Amino acid sequence: IITNLSGTVPQLELLDLTSCNLTEFPEFLKYQSKLRFLQLSDNNIQGQIPKWVWNATRETLLLFDLSSNFLTGFDQNPINLPWQNLYHLDLRTNMLQGSVPIPPQSIINYMVGSNHYSGEISPSFCNLNHLHILDLSNNSLSGMLPQCLGNSSALEILMLMNNSFHGSIPQICPVANSLKMVDLSYNQLQGKVPRSMANCTRLEFLNLGNNHM
């Protein structure tokens, strides 16, 4: 694929380059200011996600799929992701390092499992009122889980397995909510299962295995 096109490429709203054997971000993305859906999964893209990718799509991008590549991080390592209206981000199965970046308020599906993220989960994740899927599994995250995690009435899937979280399980479902799947297995969580989980009336899958309960 020729990736250095500029003026010859029209303004696109949807671009799917899944499984195209790409090794770098196509440079013509610099000139795509109307992109809403961008899929670059299952390629061989290495290194960092360049700043020009989000400069061009900061206000327009809704869905971004970069899963199954060899990415190591974001250029300039932003704490808060810059896309203002993004609702779906899939960064699973890469080599991303450092702290987990905080997505925008618009996020619905946030999936960064199977990377090398470390550190703690920011309490800011509790403020994402539209979040349906939170997948931080298979990383090197540690610390205690924010007690407000799982309080959101919108959250349906919470996947935190295969990390090094310790301490107690948060009061998940303090009131009835939408949780369908909770996987906290293979951590170092202690104590008792919170009574509040009795309020998880829609729960279909629960895995607390391989902890210190």
Side-chain angles (χ1 to χ4, degrees):
I1 291 180
I2 300 173
T3 61
N4 60 353
L5 302 173
S6 57
T8 59
V9 178
Q11 289 290 315
L12 305 171
E13 291 192 14
L14 187 152
L15 178 61
D16 187 348
L17 295 176
T18 300
S19 302
C20 287
N21 223 14
L22 296 174
T23 57
E24 61 184 11
F25 285 90
E27 283 201 22
F28 68 82
L29 291 178
K30 289 181 180 179
Y31 312 98
Q32 294 296 320
S33 59
K34 296 184 179 181
L35 266 178
R36 300 172 67 210
F37 304 94
L38 178 56
Q39 295 179 285
L40 301 173
S41 60
D42 292 295
N43 282 292
N44 296 304
I45 304 174
Q46 303 179 18
Q48 293 188 325
I49 302 168
K51 187 175 181 180
W52 52 258
V53 170
W54 71 73
N55 274 346
T57 59
R58 186 185 299 267
E59 297 179 1
T60 60
L61 201 61
L62 303 178
L63 179 148
F64 198 10
D65 188 348
L66 283 169
S67 59
S68 299
N69 279 286
F70 298 94
L71 299 166
T72 57
F74 288 82
D75 185 20
Q76 299 184 1
N77 195 28
I79 297 174
N80 295 284
L81 294 178
W83 296 286
Q84 299 173 6
N85 300 299
L86 192 70
Y87 73 79
H88 179 99
L89 180 63
D90 191 348
L91 299 175
R92 291 175 296 178
T93 316
N94 276 285
M95 302 166 66
L96 297 166
Q97 304 173 16
S99 301
V100 176
I102 300 168
Q105 281 290 322
S106 57
I107 199 72
I108 294 176
N109 303 324
Y110 187 67
M111 299 174 289
V112 298
S114 299
N115 279 289
H116 302 314
Y117 280 126
S118 58
E120 301 183 0
I121 298 179
S122 169
S124 298
F125 277 87
C126 300
N127 301 325
L128 302 173
N129 298 324
H130 305 293
L131 191 63
H132 284 191
I133 299 175
L134 178 60
D135 179 4
L136 307 178
S137 63
N138 302 304
N139 278 285
S140 299
L141 298 169
S142 58
M144 298 181 68
L145 297 176
Q147 285 301 304
C148 53
L149 199 65
N151 288 6
S152 169
S153 60
L155 191 65
E156 296 183 357
I157 297 176
L158 179 63
M159 300 175 64
L160 304 178
M161 63 278 199
N162 289 326
N163 282 287
S164 297
F165 296 119
H166 66 269
S168 60
I169 295 176
Q171 294 294 315
I172 294 175
C173 300
V175 294
N177 65 11
S178 301
L179 269 175
K180 295 180 179 178
M181 176 179 180
V182 176
D183 196 334
L184 305 178
S185 62
Y186 290 92
N187 280 286
Q188 299 168 23
L189 297 169
Q190 303 164 322
K192 298 180 179 181
V193 179
R195 286 183 176 272
S196 64
M197 293 204 73
N199 296 324
C200 299
T201 55
R202 299 187 180 184
L203 198 63
E204 299 173 3
F205 179 95
L206 174 64
N207 190 354
L208 305 177
N210 293 89
N211 279 288
H212 304 301
M213 307 301 298

